Amino acid sequence: MACRTGCPTPGKHKTWGECARSANLKVAYCGIGGGDATEQKRWDAELDLYRAARRQGIQPDGTTKDKVMAAIESSNAAGAAYGRDFGAAPPAPEGVEAA
Ligand SMILES: [Zn+2]
């Protein structure tokens, strides 16, 4: 069972990454970097991204965009939740192909 805790459709997703992508992670992801975002909006977006990551079980090293993005990308690459399932050095689980 690769689904995240709290997945609305457990068993539907083959990998943790697929499960995470099916959730709203990508929506929050896209909210970052809008060219006309004010500082406040950017800050809100960072926190939203951080919260979205935490909902997936990811525990970034900090709330800044760089740290959250790094944690999310590491999690997607590893198919596991950064900070919960592994630390700074991602594991190389079976079945995960290099990009
Ligand atoms: Zn799922």
Side-chain angles (χ1 to χ4, degrees):
M1 185 68 64
C3 279
R4 298 160 303 127
T5 304
C7 174
T9 56
K12 181 167 174 270
H13 305 113
K14 287 193 290 290
T15 66
W16 183 94
E18 186 180 326
C19 187
R21 277 193 297 276
S22 78
N24 58 0
L25 205 54
K26 207 146 203 168
V27 177
Y29 205 85
C30 292
I32 301 285
D36 60 351
T38 63
E39 279 302 316
Q40 182 59 46
K41 276 183 185 166
R42 195 146 42 227
W43 174 242
D44 287 346
E46 282 191 0
L47 285 181
D48 281 350
L49 185 65
Y50 178 78
R51 288 193 202 99
R54 291 302 303 263
R55 277 199 296 274
Q56 314 306 319
I58 299 169
Q59 293 169 16
D61 294 332
T63 59
T64 59
K65 180 183 140 193
D66 284 352
K67 285 184 170 153
V68 177
M69 294 281 279
I72 290 172
E73 282 167 7
S74 293
S75 298
N76 283 337
Y82 179 90
R84 184 192 68 185
D85 297 332
F86 67 97
E94 283 182 75
V96 174
E97 294 171 25

